[in-house]
C-alpha cells in the first residue's frame, strides 16, 4: 500500500482516503492538493460529495493516460514494470469500465520465451497456426512443464498467467471479445500433437476396441470405476500418459477454492480429470497386450502416478506408494540384468 496525502490549499486533510483514491490505485504515492476537497473528511460526507467522485475518476484517467503513454513511447520500461503492476491494472479493469476501455490496447502478456505480446498479437500468431480466436496459457511453469515442452516442440506458443486475478480477468476478456477463448495448455490434447486419423474403417474399429480395453484395464488396476480414460495416437512416442482437465471444470473448481476461503465448500465442484494414454507408446502397448500379466496392474498405477506428477503432485499416500513401486520396478530390472 502506498500513501497519498490529501490537502486543501496546503492544509493537510488526511492520508489514503478510499473514497477519493480508487481501491486498485491504493499503491500510488504522492500528494493531491485541491481547494474543492471538503475539510470535513467524515466518510458519510465524502461518499455524498459529487466532487470527490470527479476527483476519483480524474485520478483513474491520469493513471491510465500515464500507463498507455509509457507503453507507446517507453515500451522497454513498461515491460520491466509489468510483472509487478499488472495485478493492479487487471483489478482496475474489472472494477472500472472506463479504465478498462483506456487500457484495452495496452494490456500485455508474457509468452513462453519471455516476450510481451498484446491480445491482438496472440490471436494473430495462433490464427497462423490454425487456432483462430484461441489463446493458450500457463499458470505454473513447473507444474505444466510437460505440456510446455510439447507446445514448444510443435511450434505453438502460450502466455503465462500466474496470478489469482488472472482467472476472473480472462473471463472478463472473453465477455468483452465474444469469440475469444482462453484455454490452459493442459485443458485437452491439442490436435497438433495427434497423428492424422485413420481412413480405414477396420483400423478405426480396432482403435475403438483397444481404447475400451485400456480403459477397462486401468479402471480395474486403479480401483476407480469413475476414472475418465482417453486413448490418443500422439506423434511423440516417448509420452506415455498425461492428465487433462477441461477448462470449464477447472475454472469452476478454482472459483470454489476461492469461495472456500470465505467459508464456502471447496469440494462442491472438484475438477474433472481425464487420463490420456498414448497408443503409440511402448508401455501402453505392453499393458494392452498383457492385460492379465502379473506386472500389468503395477505398470498401470505407475503410468497414472507419472501423469499426476507431470500435472502437479501426488497425495502423500500415493507418493509413498509411488516411491516404493519405483524401487520395486528398478529391482526387477536389476534381477533381469543379472
Amino acid at each position: 500500500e502506498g500513501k497519498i496525502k490529501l490537502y486543501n490549499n496546503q492544509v493537510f486533510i488526511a492520508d489514503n482516503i478510499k473514497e477519493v483514491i480508487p481501491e486498485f490505485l491504493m499503491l500510488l504515492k504522492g500528494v493531491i492538493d485541491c481547494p474543492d476537497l471538503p475539510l470535513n473528511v467524515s466518510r458519510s460526507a465524502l461518499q455524498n460529495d459529487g466532487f470527490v467522485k470527479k476527483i476519483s475518476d480524474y485520478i483513474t484517467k491520469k493513471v491510465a493516460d500515464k500507463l498507455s503513454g509509457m507503453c507507446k513511447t517507453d515500451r522497454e520500461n513498461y515491460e520491466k514494470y509489468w510483472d509487478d503492476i499488472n495485478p493492479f491494472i487487471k483489478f482496475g479493469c474489472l472494477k472500472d469500465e472506463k479504465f478498462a476501455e483506456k487500457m484495452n490496447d495496452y494490456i500485455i502478456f508474457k509468452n513462453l520465451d519471455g516476450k510481451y505480446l498484446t491480445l491482438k498479437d496472440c490471436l494473430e500468431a495462433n490464427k497462423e497456426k490454425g487456432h483462430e480466436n484461441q489463446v493458450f496459457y500457463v499458470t505454473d511453469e513447473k507444474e505444466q512443464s510437460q505440456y510446455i515442452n510439447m507446445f514448444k516442440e510443435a511450434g505453438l506458443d502460450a502466455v503465462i498467467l500466474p496470478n489469482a486475478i488472472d482467472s476472473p480477468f480472462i473471463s472478463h476478456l472473453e465477455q468483452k471479445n465474444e469469440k475469444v477463448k482462453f484455454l490452459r495448455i493442459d485443458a485437452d490434447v491439442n490436435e497438433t500433437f495427434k497423428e492424422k486419423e485413420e481412413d480405414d474403417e477396420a483400423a478405426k474399429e480396432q482403435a475403438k476396441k483397444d481404447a475400451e480395453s485400456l480403459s477397462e484395464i486401468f479402471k480395474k488396476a486403479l480401483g476407480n470405476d469413475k476414472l475418465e480414460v482417453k486413448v490418443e495416437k500422439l506423434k511423440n512416442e516417448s509420452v506415455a500418459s498425461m492428465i487433462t482437465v477441461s477448462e470449464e471444470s477447472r475454472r469452476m473448481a478454482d472459483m470454489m477454492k476461492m469461495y472456500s476461503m470465505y467459508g464456502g465448500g471447496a469440494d462442491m465442484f472438484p475438477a474433472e480429470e481425464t487420463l490420456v494414454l498414448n497408443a503409440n507408446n511402448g508401455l501402453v502397448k505392453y499393458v494392452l497386450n498383457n492385460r492379465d500379466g502379473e506386472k500389468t496392474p503395477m505398470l498401470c498405477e505407475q503410468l497414472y502416478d507419472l501423469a499426476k506428477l507431470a500435472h502437479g503432485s501426488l497425495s502423500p499416500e500415493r507418493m509413498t506408494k509411488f516411491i516404493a513401486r519405483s524401487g520395486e520396478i528398478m529391482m526387477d530390472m536389476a534381477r533381469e540384468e543379472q
Side-chain angles (χ1 to χ4, degrees):
E1 188 172 292
K3 184 172 280 191
I4 294 185
K5 294 182 177 294
L6 301 176
Y7 286 82
N8 178 321
N9 281 328
Q10 299 184 30
V11 176
F12 176 68
I13 301 172
D15 290 326
N16 290 6
I17 300 294
K18 285 183 169 65
E19 282 74 14
V20 179
I21 316 300
E23 190 179 8
F24 63 94
L25 294 178
M26 289 299 284
L27 76 161
L28 289 174
K29 292 182 180 180
V31 171
I32 295 173
D33 192 336
C34 179
D36 298 294
L37 266 176
L39 288 169
N40 176 3
V41 291
S42 72
R43 288 291 152 94
S44 58
L46 285 170
Q47 283 168 353
N48 297 318
D49 192 302
F51 197 79
V52 167
K53 176 72 173 76
K54 284 182 182 177
I55 295 172
S56 178
D57 290 344
Y58 183 74
I59 294 168
T60 304
K61 179 183 178 299
K62 291 297 283 184
V63 169
D65 288 345
K66 175 69 177 175
L67 289 167
S68 58
M70 187 190 287
C71 185
K72 284 186 277 191
T73 61
D74 192 4
R75 180 70 178 250
E76 190 179 336
N77 254 334
Y78 187 72
E79 290 179 358
K80 188 173 78 175
Y81 296 129
W82 181 255
D83 288 354
D84 291 326
I85 64 173
N86 81 78
F88 299 95
I89 294 173
K90 290 169 182 174
F91 183 40
C93 290
L94 293 173
K95 295 281 284 184
D96 189 315
E97 189 62 34
K98 286 183 181 176
F99 182 75
E101 284 174 16
K102 279 187 167 289
M103 290 304 300
N104 189 45
D105 296 330
Y106 309 103
I107 300 291
I108 55 175
F109 301 88
K110 186 159 73 172
N111 74 357
L112 296 176
D113 295 323
K115 292 179 182 175
Y116 289 90
L117 310 167
T118 63
L119 179 59
K120 188 181 176 184
D121 295 334
C122 296
L123 291 170
E124 283 177 0
N126 284 345
K127 186 179 180 180
E128 288 173 13
K129 298 285 184 180
H131 300 283
E132 192 170 3
N133 292 322
Q134 291 183 335
V135 179
F136 299 105
Y137 69 96
V138 173
T139 55
D140 187 316
E141 290 176 84
K142 186 179 176 184
E143 189 176 291
Q144 288 135 40
S145 60
Q146 181 187 25
Y147 305 90
I148 290 171
N149 291 336
M150 290 174 72
F151 258 62
K152 284 183 174 178
E153 284 169 11
L156 293 174
D157 199 6
V159 296
I160 301 164
L161 301 175
N163 299 310
I165 195 72
D166 288 320
S167 184
F169 181 68
I170 60 176
S171 296
H172 162 80
L173 287 179
E174 287 170 342
Q175 288 169 6
K176 298 280 287 180
N177 307 273
E178 282 184 32
K179 292 181 181 178
V180 173
K181 184 69 180 168
F182 281 78
L183 294 165
R184 204 168 83 172
I185 61 174
D186 57 353
D188 200 356
V189 178
N190 197 291
E191 290 298 321
T192 312
F193 307 147
K194 302 177 192 176
E195 282 186 358
K196 200 174 177 182
E197 255 191 49
E198 299 271 7
D199 293 326
D200 182 43
E201 286 301 319
K204 279 184 183 177
E205 190 59 34
Q206 186 58 50
K208 188 180 175 185
K209 284 180 182 176
D210 289 349
E212 288 170 358
S213 293
L214 281 167
S215 179
E216 190 184 319
I217 295 165
F218 272 81
K219 284 179 181 180
K220 185 180 175 183
L222 296 164
N224 183 357
D225 290 336
K226 293 180 180 177
L227 179 69
E228 188 74 29
V229 180
K230 205 181 206 180
V231 180
E232 302 282 7
K233 285 192 171 184
L234 303 182
K235 293 174 185 175
N236 188 341
E237 293 178 12
S238 66
V239 176
S241 55
M242 53 203 294
I243 296 287
T244 61
V245 181
S246 75
E247 187 69 19
E248 291 76 14
S249 170
R250 189 187 49 72
R251 284 200 206 182
M252 180 62 77
D254 287 349
M255 191 172 75
M256 285 297 108
K257 278 180 195 171
M258 200 173 285
Y259 174 61
S260 71
M261 291 167 63
Y262 304 97
D267 300 322
M268 285 168 67
F269 295 96
E272 295 168 11
E273 294 183 345
T274 299
L275 173 65
V276 179
L277 301 171
N278 182 6
N280 287 332
N281 178 265
L283 284 172
V284 175
K285 287 177 182 176
Y286 178 88
V287 169
L288 182 62
N289 297 326
N290 297 272
R291 61 179 302 158
D292 298 318
E294 185 188 343
K295 301 292 183 184
T296 298
M298 182 169 68
L299 273 176
C300 289
E301 287 203 77
Q302 195 73 355
L303 285 170
Y304 177 73
D305 285 352
L306 283 169
K308 288 285 284 182
L309 272 173
H311 190 259
S313 60
L314 293 170
S315 66
E317 185 187 354
R318 284 209 73 89
M319 180 59 84
T320 303
K321 288 180 180 178
F322 174 76
I323 293 167
R325 196 187 314 116
S326 298
E328 192 179 335
I329 290 169
M330 286 190 284
M331 280 301 296
D332 285 346
M333 288 171 66
R335 289 191 197 102
E336 285 173 15
E337 285 290 318
Q338 289 174 353

